[in-house]
Amino acid sequence: MKILTIIGARPQFIKASVVSRAIQQTKGIQEIMLHTGQHFDANMSDIFFNQLGIPRPDIQLDIHGGGHGEMTGRMLIEIEQSLLAHKPDRVLVYGDTNSTLAGALAAAKLHIPVAHVEAGLRSFNMQMPEEINRILTDQISELLFCPTKTAVKNLENEGFASKPAKVLQPGDVMQDAALLFAEKAAAPAGSNLPESFVLATLHRAENTDNPERLASIVNALNKIHREQALVVLPLHPRTRKLIAQQGLELNVHLIDPVGYFEMVWLLDHCQLVLTDSGGVQKEAFFFGKACVTMRDQTEWVELVEAGANELVGADGDLIIEAAAQNFGRIVDDASNLYGGGKAALQIVKELL
Ligand code: UD1
Ligand code: UDP
């Protein structure tokens, strides 16, 4: 069986690393890796291949930037050519980025069955590019690997029970990654951090592309850093650009984006996670930390229901208040919401 995996953005490298590893341990399955080039800085791409032992891409495209249509369209054209050349039995896509949609669409049109890891997630906010990407990808996938019960339910509500597609719940590959690589945790070089700090990340388009929301979040982070605790923020290139464009001053402990081993260290040592990332909300939980999420909705509703995650949107006062209330709060990961770290093996078994 020949699988062609399509990845392109930071979280996809982390998710694919554990599945790739499981593929390498399994007889009868061969993986061809295609990197679209969506993320391309060394600390947004190469570092993950090096740290996590992901095989070098067999096909390296160089498609990034531009509008959504342009990026997705260019990917579609070039992925189609690669699929025609390599003739895989299945295409494997992850998450909800433009690389995900382009890969799934190119494959489905060539009648190559698509398997989607992280299927069924919904924010019910169609303003998010990710929501459009994931709904469309699910519609044209034949194997839908859901990370949570809620994701399975979402697909049932959309009528998947009566479709030929197969919906499965192997768990979340991000938990596999967190468990597998926790022992490799390494402090970011030269960061010299105090015992007590907040780990923040910020990149979601709904925050960064909206000047009011961005200014409100920046002011709140500055205030927390000034008055409560040091805020460590590995700055995403999107956010760096938009903060400069808006003439905002983010006066926290800024560092460049870090590798996964450094991120795991920061998650393990912080007193609170403040984020608008999808993946980081769960990682906070895996490392027993409370999370304050600067979004209006989350796909990971079970964390909110379990009291591990507080949704505060972009309101500065709410962010500051929630940060104060949740600082140092330990969260108990006893509920096995994400499958316990065996997702990758189950996915590979099912692919075979
Ligand atoms: C993308 C995904 C988002 C995901 C995020 C993970 C889409 C629509 N969005 O958002 O769902 O949460 O990745 O991080 O697919 N840039 C660089 N260097 C890089 C990468 C990006 O300079 O290595 C710049 C790009 O040129 C662009 C901006 O950052 O100007 C945004 O990149 P893009 O890939 O379009 O979207 P993300 O915000 O990264
Ligand atoms: N991450 C990382 N280095 C960083 C910031 C994030 O390795 O500087 C990891 C993080 O631990 C998680 C993934 O990248 O595994 C999340 O990616 P991101 O927040 O960019 O995307 P999202 O999950 O929101 O799609």
Side-chain angles (χ1 to χ4, degrees):
M1 145 113 20
K2 204 202 265 187
I3 301 278
L4 194 141
T5 296
I6 295 173
I7 50 180
R10 173 169 69 188
Q12 293 167 333
F13 308 138
I14 295 160
K15 291 164 198 170
S17 72
V18 286
V19 177
S20 226
R21 188 174 281 249
I23 289 176
Q24 285 163 39
Q25 290 164 358
T26 309
K27 282 202 181 101
I29 181 163
Q30 178 209 346
E31 183 176 41
I32 300 166
M33 189 76 82
L34 183 153
H35 185 329
T36 62
Q38 180 170 349
H39 286 177
F40 50 94
D41 291 341
N43 58 11
M44 294 291 288
S45 177
D46 284 2
I47 193 164
F48 299 101
F49 286 80
N50 295 336
Q51 285 190 338
L52 310 183
I54 310 168
R56 289 284 123 198
D58 303 281
I59 308 153
Q60 177 68 61
L61 308 181
D62 184 25
I63 303 170
H64 47 79
H68 284 281
E70 183 186 345
M71 189 200 289
T72 314
R74 289 176 59 209
M75 286 177 184
L76 196 52
I77 293 168
E78 293 199 31
I79 292 171
E80 182 177 65
Q81 287 165 5
S82 295
L83 295 180
L84 287 169
H86 287 272
K87 298 186 176 54
D89 300 301
R90 275 188 197 286
V91 161
L92 183 60
V93 294
Y94 291 85
D96 50 23
T97 71
N98 290 345
S99 299
T100 315
L101 177 61
L105 192 50
K109 291 275 181 141
L110 292 173
H111 305 150
I112 302 168
V114 177
H116 184 203
V117 176
E118 237 184 42
L121 293 180
R122 299 290 181 264
S123 65
F124 304 99
N125 175 0
M126 286 300 281
Q127 300 296 310
M128 290 179 71
E130 293 87 355
E131 185 76 354
I132 299 167
N133 289 341
R134 55 171 91 102
I135 289 177
L136 296 178
T137 300
D138 283 345
Q139 288 297 329
I140 52 177
S141 294
E142 297 203 352
L143 265 179
L144 295 108
F145 293 118
C146 297
T148 59
K149 239 191 237 165
T150 310
V152 173
K153 263 219 173 82
N154 288 337
L155 292 178
E156 282 168 9
N157 292 341
E158 290 175 18
F160 272 81
S162 58
K163 289 184 188 175
K166 198 167 174 188
V167 175
L168 297 146
Q169 190 195 336
D172 191 336
V173 288
M174 290 198 80
Q175 184 163 36
D176 294 29
L179 288 170
L180 182 65
F181 297 115
E183 65 180 30
K184 305 269 186 173
S191 56
N192 237 342
L193 295 174
E195 290 240 320
S196 182
F197 63 90
V198 175
L199 171 62
T201 78
L202 174 67
H203 78 280
R204 187 79 34 217
E206 73 215 50
N207 287 331
T208 53
D209 295 11
N210 178 324
E212 268 175 32
R213 286 179 77 99
L214 185 59
S216 169
I217 291 173
V218 165
N219 289 336
L221 293 176
N222 286 346
K223 188 151 193 242
I224 294 167
H225 181 74
R226 215 170 40 237
E227 295 177 8
Q228 191 189 335
L230 185 108
V231 174
V232 181
L233 201 164
L235 194 59
H236 193 287
R238 170 185 215 100
T239 317
R240 185 179 291 283
K241 277 187 198 169
L242 285 154
I243 283 181
Q245 257 174 39
Q246 297 295 324
L248 296 168
E249 294 220 5
L250 182 52
N251 293 314
V252 301
H253 187 92
L254 291 178
I255 55 176
D256 285 332
V258 292
Y260 190 63
F261 296 166
E262 290 75 16
M263 193 63 185
V264 160
W265 187 93
L266 290 166
L267 284 155
D268 198 26
H269 286 78
C270 70
Q271 267 64 44
L272 174 72
V273 173
L274 204 51
T275 192
D276 63 0
S277 159
V280 176
Q281 290 174 59
K282 283 171 297 159
E283 289 169 339
F285 183 65
F286 300 149
F287 286 89
K289 307 300 160 72
C291 183
V292 173
T293 299
M294 301 179 288
R295 288 184 48 197
D296 300 328
Q297 308 88 13
T298 180
E299 300 76 23
W300 308 102
V301 287
E302 55 286 331
L303 291 178
V304 178
E305 284 157 11
N309 188 358
E310 191 172 342
L311 271 185
V312 292
D315 182 300
D317 290 340
L318 287 183
I319 295 171
I320 292 163
E321 200 185 307
Q325 278 170 2
N326 286 287
F327 191 79
R329 190 163 71 82
I330 310 272
V331 162
D332 186 12
D333 178 13
S335 41
N336 198 19
L337 295 170
Y338 297 101
K342 299 182 204 83
L345 278 173
Q346 285 192 48
I347 286 170
V348 173
K349 228 164 106 190
E350 200 57 46
L351 286 172
L352 266 174

PDB file of all heavy atoms in Angstrom, residues 135-156:
ATOM      1  N   ILE A 135     -14.566  21.462   6.803  1.00  0.00           N
ATOM      2  CA  ILE A 135     -15.879  20.944   6.371  1.00  0.00           C
ATOM      3  C   ILE A 135     -15.755  20.345   4.971  1.00  0.00           C
ATOM      4  O   ILE A 135     -16.224  19.232   4.710  1.00  0.00           O
ATOM      5  CB  ILE A 135     -16.948  22.065   6.401  1.00  0.00           C
ATOM      6  CG1 ILE A 135     -17.293  22.421   7.844  1.00  0.00           C
ATOM      7  CG2 ILE A 135     -18.203  21.653   5.629  1.00  0.00           C
ATOM      8  CD1 ILE A 135     -18.275  23.567   7.994  1.00  0.00           C
ATOM      9  N   LEU A 136     -15.095  21.071   4.076  1.00  0.00           N
ATOM     10  CA  LEU A 136     -14.971  20.578   2.702  1.00  0.00           C
ATOM     11  C   LEU A 136     -14.108  19.321   2.653  1.00  0.00           C
ATOM     12  O   LEU A 136     -14.413  18.371   1.930  1.00  0.00           O
ATOM     13  CB  LEU A 136     -14.392  21.675   1.805  1.00  0.00           C
ATOM     14  CG  LEU A 136     -15.300  22.906   1.666  1.00  0.00           C
ATOM     15  CD1 LEU A 136     -14.633  23.970   0.815  1.00  0.00           C
ATOM     16  CD2 LEU A 136     -16.645  22.534   1.063  1.00  0.00           C
ATOM     17  N   THR A 137     -13.042  19.302   3.418  1.00  0.00           N
ATOM     18  CA  THR A 137     -12.168  18.116   3.436  1.00  0.00           C
ATOM     19  C   THR A 137     -12.932  16.893   3.939  1.00  0.00           C
ATOM     20  O   THR A 137     -12.845  15.798   3.359  1.00  0.00           O
ATOM     21  CB  THR A 137     -10.915  18.390   4.302  1.00  0.00           C
ATOM     22  OG1 THR A 137     -10.221  19.503   3.745  1.00  0.00           O
ATOM     23  CG2 THR A 137      -9.991  17.186   4.345  1.00  0.00           C
ATOM     24  N   ASP A 138     -13.688  17.059   5.009  1.00  0.00           N
ATOM     25  CA  ASP A 138     -14.476  15.928   5.532  1.00  0.00           C
ATOM     26  C   ASP A 138     -15.449  15.402   4.473  1.00  0.00           C
ATOM     27  O   ASP A 138     -15.627  14.189   4.325  1.00  0.00           O
ATOM     28  CB  ASP A 138     -15.269  16.352   6.784  1.00  0.00           C
ATOM     29  CG  ASP A 138     -14.377  16.439   8.021  1.00  0.00           C
ATOM     30  OD1 ASP A 138     -13.245  15.906   7.975  1.00  0.00           O
ATOM     31  OD2 ASP A 138     -14.802  17.040   9.021  1.00  0.00           O
ATOM     32  N   GLN A 139     -16.063  16.309   3.726  1.00  0.00           N
ATOM     33  CA  GLN A 139     -17.062  15.907   2.732  1.00  0.00           C
ATOM     34  C   GLN A 139     -16.475  15.011   1.645  1.00  0.00           C
ATOM     35  O   GLN A 139     -17.190  14.196   1.069  1.00  0.00           O
ATOM     36  CB  GLN A 139     -17.688  17.145   2.060  1.00  0.00           C
ATOM     37  CG  GLN A 139     -18.627  17.938   2.963  1.00  0.00           C
ATOM     38  CD  GLN A 139     -19.845  17.150   3.398  1.00  0.00           C
ATOM     39  OE1 GLN A 139     -20.324  16.282   2.679  1.00  0.00           O
ATOM     40  NE2 GLN A 139     -20.339  17.436   4.598  1.00  0.00           N
ATOM     41  N   ILE A 140     -15.178  15.172   1.350  1.00  0.00           N
ATOM     42  CA  ILE A 140     -14.595  14.390   0.250  1.00  0.00           C
ATOM     43  C   ILE A 140     -13.607  13.330   0.757  1.00  0.00           C
ATOM     44  O   ILE A 140     -12.822  12.785  -0.004  1.00  0.00           O
ATOM     45  CB  ILE A 140     -13.927  15.310  -0.802  1.00  0.00           C
ATOM     46  CG1 ILE A 140     -12.934  16.282  -0.154  1.00  0.00           C
ATOM     47  CG2 ILE A 140     -14.986  16.094  -1.578  1.00  0.00           C
ATOM     48  CD1 ILE A 140     -12.193  17.164  -1.140  1.00  0.00           C
ATOM     49  N   SER A 141     -13.665  13.046   2.062  1.00  0.00           N
ATOM     50  CA  SER A 141     -12.793  12.014   2.625  1.00  0.00           C
ATOM     51  C   SER A 141     -13.546  10.696   2.738  1.00  0.00           C
ATOM     52  O   SER A 141     -14.756  10.679   2.960  1.00  0.00           O
ATOM     53  CB  SER A 141     -12.290  12.429   4.006  1.00  0.00           C
ATOM     54  OG  SER A 141     -11.454  13.552   3.891  1.00  0.00           O
ATOM     55  N   GLU A 142     -12.795   9.605   2.624  1.00  0.00           N
ATOM     56  CA  GLU A 142     -13.418   8.278   2.771  1.00  0.00           C
ATOM     57  C   GLU A 142     -13.142   7.675   4.132  1.00  0.00           C
ATOM     58  O   GLU A 142     -13.888   6.839   4.613  1.00  0.00           O
ATOM     59  CB  GLU A 142     -12.887   7.343   1.689  1.00  0.00           C
ATOM     60  CG  GLU A 142     -13.274   7.834   0.326  1.00  0.00           C
ATOM     61  CD  GLU A 142     -13.290   6.739  -0.719  1.00  0.00           C
ATOM     62  OE1 GLU A 142     -12.859   5.612  -0.424  1.00  0.00           O
ATOM     63  OE2 GLU A 142     -13.735   7.040  -1.839  1.00  0.00           O
ATOM     64  N   LEU A 143     -12.014   8.101   4.724  1.00  0.00           N
ATOM     65  CA  LEU A 143     -11.678   7.633   6.076  1.00  0.00           C
ATOM     66  C   LEU A 143     -11.557   8.871   6.947  1.00  0.00           C
ATOM     67  O   LEU A 143     -10.708   9.734   6.686  1.00  0.00           O
ATOM     68  CB  LEU A 143     -10.331   6.927   6.066  1.00  0.00           C
ATOM     69  CG  LEU A 143     -10.299   5.425   5.925  1.00  0.00           C
ATOM     70  CD1 LEU A 143      -8.842   4.950   5.924  1.00  0.00           C
ATOM     71  CD2 LEU A 143     -11.051   4.756   7.062  1.00  0.00           C
ATOM     72  N   LEU A 144     -12.396   8.965   7.968  1.00  0.00           N
ATOM     73  CA  LEU A 144     -12.397  10.166   8.808  1.00  0.00           C
ATOM     74  C   LEU A 144     -11.935   9.801  10.206  1.00  0.00           C
ATOM     75  O   LEU A 144     -12.647   9.110  10.948  1.00  0.00           O
ATOM     76  CB  LEU A 144     -13.790  10.794   8.820  1.00  0.00           C
ATOM     77  CG  LEU A 144     -14.209  11.325   7.441  1.00  0.00           C
ATOM     78  CD1 LEU A 144     -15.273  10.445   6.819  1.00  0.00           C
ATOM     79  CD2 LEU A 144     -14.699  12.748   7.531  1.00  0.00           C
ATOM     80  N   PHE A 145     -10.728  10.238  10.551  1.00  0.00           N
ATOM     81  CA  PHE A 145     -10.146   9.917  11.852  1.00  0.00           C
ATOM     82  C   PHE A 145     -10.442  11.057  12.826  1.00  0.00           C
ATOM     83  O   PHE A 145      -9.825  12.125  12.756  1.00  0.00           O
ATOM     84  CB  PHE A 145      -8.637   9.716  11.721  1.00  0.00           C
ATOM     85  CG  PHE A 145      -8.268   8.509  10.917  1.00  0.00           C
ATOM     86  CD1 PHE A 145      -7.554   8.634   9.728  1.00  0.00           C
ATOM     87  CD2 PHE A 145      -8.633   7.234  11.343  1.00  0.00           C
ATOM     88  CE1 PHE A 145      -7.197   7.521   8.985  1.00  0.00           C
ATOM     89  CE2 PHE A 145      -8.275   6.107  10.598  1.00  0.00           C
ATOM     90  CZ  PHE A 145      -7.563   6.255   9.414  1.00  0.00           C
ATOM     91  N   CYS A 146     -11.398  10.823  13.732  1.00  0.00           N
ATOM     92  CA  CYS A 146     -11.820  11.864  14.674  1.00  0.00           C
ATOM     93  C   CYS A 146     -10.975  11.794  15.938  1.00  0.00           C
ATOM     94  O   CYS A 146     -10.760  10.706  16.484  1.00  0.00           O
ATOM     95  CB  CYS A 146     -13.279  11.659  15.065  1.00  0.00           C
ATOM     96  SG  CYS A 146     -14.383  11.813  13.658  1.00  0.00           S
ATOM     97  N   PRO A 147     -10.553  12.954  16.466  1.00  0.00           N
ATOM     98  CA  PRO A 147      -9.769  12.921  17.703  1.00  0.00           C
ATOM     99  C   PRO A 147     -10.640  12.773  18.957  1.00  0.00           C
ATOM    100  O   PRO A 147     -10.145  12.321  19.982  1.00  0.00           O
ATOM    101  CB  PRO A 147      -9.061  14.280  17.705  1.00  0.00           C
ATOM    102  CG  PRO A 147      -9.903  15.171  16.846  1.00  0.00           C
ATOM    103  CD  PRO A 147     -10.597  14.293  15.847  1.00  0.00           C
ATOM    104  N   THR A 148     -11.892  13.183  18.874  1.00  0.00           N
ATOM    105  CA  THR A 148     -12.742  13.203  20.078  1.00  0.00           C
ATOM    106  C   THR A 148     -14.146  12.685  19.765  1.00  0.00           C
ATOM    107  O   THR A 148     -14.560  12.611  18.611  1.00  0.00           O
ATOM    108  CB  THR A 148     -12.915  14.656  20.594  1.00  0.00           C
ATOM    109  OG1 THR A 148     -13.518  15.442  19.547  1.00  0.00           O
ATOM    110  CG2 THR A 148     -11.601  15.280  21.002  1.00  0.00           C
ATOM    111  N   LYS A 149     -14.865  12.412  20.866  1.00  0.00           N
ATOM    112  CA  LYS A 149     -16.274  12.007  20.767  1.00  0.00           C
ATOM    113  C   LYS A 149     -17.105  13.099  20.112  1.00  0.00           C
ATOM    114  O   LYS A 149     -17.995  12.851  19.309  1.00  0.00           O
ATOM    115  CB  LYS A 149     -16.802  11.804  22.202  1.00  0.00           C
ATOM    116  CG  LYS A 149     -17.321  10.420  22.482  1.00  0.00           C
ATOM    117  CD  LYS A 149     -18.047  10.434  23.824  1.00  0.00           C
ATOM    118  CE  LYS A 149     -17.395   9.403  24.707  1.00  0.00           C
ATOM    119  NZ  LYS A 149     -17.725   9.504  26.113  1.00  0.00           N
ATOM    120  N   THR A 150     -16.810  14.345  20.505  1.00  0.00           N
ATOM    121  CA  THR A 150     -17.557  15.482  19.950  1.00  0.00           C
ATOM    122  C   THR A 150     -17.399  15.539  18.436  1.00  0.00           C
ATOM    123  O   THR A 150     -18.361  15.839  17.715  1.00  0.00           O
ATOM    124  CB  THR A 150     -17.025  16.812  20.553  1.00  0.00           C
ATOM    125  OG1 THR A 150     -16.995  16.657  21.951  1.00  0.00           O
ATOM    126  CG2 THR A 150     -17.881  17.986  20.161  1.00  0.00           C
ATOM    127  N   ALA A 151     -16.208  15.247  17.952  1.00  0.00           N
ATOM    128  CA  ALA A 151     -15.959  15.286  16.510  1.00  0.00           C
ATOM    129  C   ALA A 151     -16.815  14.227  15.796  1.00  0.00           C
ATOM    130  O   ALA A 151     -17.389  14.482  14.741  1.00  0.00           O
ATOM    131  CB  ALA A 151     -14.477  15.072  16.229  1.00  0.00           C
ATOM    132  N   VAL A 152     -16.916  13.042  16.414  1.00  0.00           N
ATOM    133  CA  VAL A 152     -17.755  11.979  15.834  1.00  0.00           C
ATOM    134  C   VAL A 152     -19.212  12.451  15.782  1.00  0.00           C
ATOM    135  O   VAL A 152     -19.899  12.300  14.769  1.00  0.00           O
ATOM    136  CB  VAL A 152     -17.646  10.675  16.672  1.00  0.00           C
ATOM    137  CG1 VAL A 152     -18.628   9.622  16.182  1.00  0.00           C
ATOM    138  CG2 VAL A 152     -16.225  10.142  16.641  1.00  0.00           C
ATOM    139  N   LYS A 153     -19.641  13.048  16.872  1.00  0.00           N
ATOM    140  CA  LYS A 153     -21.028  13.564  16.951  1.00  0.00           C
ATOM    141  C   LYS A 153     -21.290  14.618  15.884  1.00  0.00           C
ATOM    142  O   LYS A 153     -22.347  14.636  15.253  1.00  0.00           O
ATOM    143  CB  LYS A 153     -21.254  14.212  18.326  1.00  0.00           C
ATOM    144  CG  LYS A 153     -21.895  13.313  19.296  1.00  0.00           C
ATOM    145  CD  LYS A 153     -22.933  14.074  20.170  1.00  0.00           C
ATOM    146  CE  LYS A 153     -23.657  13.064  21.015  1.00  0.00           C
ATOM    147  NZ  LYS A 153     -22.877  12.705  22.215  1.00  0.00           N
ATOM    148  N   ASN A 154     -20.332  15.509  15.703  1.00  0.00           N
ATOM    149  CA  ASN A 154     -20.494  16.555  14.685  1.00  0.00           C
ATOM    150  C   ASN A 154     -20.741  15.935  13.311  1.00  0.00           C
ATOM    151  O   ASN A 154     -21.588  16.396  12.549  1.00  0.00           O
ATOM    152  CB  ASN A 154     -19.250  17.447  14.615  1.00  0.00           C
ATOM    153  CG  ASN A 154     -19.120  18.363  15.825  1.00  0.00           C
ATOM    154  OD1 ASN A 154     -20.117  18.663  16.492  1.00  0.00           O
ATOM    155  ND2 ASN A 154     -17.906  18.804  16.117  1.00  0.00           N
ATOM    156  N   LEU A 155     -19.993  14.872  13.022  1.00  0.00           N
ATOM    157  CA  LEU A 155     -20.152  14.235  11.708  1.00  0.00           C
ATOM    158  C   LEU A 155     -21.500  13.517  11.628  1.00  0.00           C
ATOM    159  O   LEU A 155     -22.173  13.552  10.591  1.00  0.00           O
ATOM    160  CB  LEU A 155     -18.998  13.260  11.444  1.00  0.00           C
ATOM    161  CG  LEU A 155     -17.626  13.918  11.256  1.00  0.00           C
ATOM    162  CD1 LEU A 155     -16.531  12.866  11.054  1.00  0.00           C
ATOM    163  CD2 LEU A 155     -17.619  14.892  10.071  1.00  0.00           C
ATOM    164  N   GLU A 156     -21.908  12.891  12.725  1.00  0.00           N
ATOM    165  CA  GLU A 156     -23.233  12.250  12.738  1.00  0.00           C
ATOM    166  C   GLU A 156     -24.317  13.293  12.453  1.00  0.00           C
ATOM    167  O   GLU A 156     -25.228  13.060  11.669  1.00  0.00           O
ATOM    168  CB  GLU A 156     -23.495  11.590  14.095  1.00  0.00           C
ATOM    169  CG  GLU A 156     -22.775  10.255  14.239  1.00  0.00           C
ATOM    170  CD  GLU A 156     -22.795   9.726  15.671  1.00  0.00           C
ATOM    171  OE1 GLU A 156     -23.509  10.304  16.527  1.00  0.00           O
ATOM    172  OE2 GLU A 156     -22.083   8.746  15.919  1.00  0.00           O
TER     173      GLU A 156
END
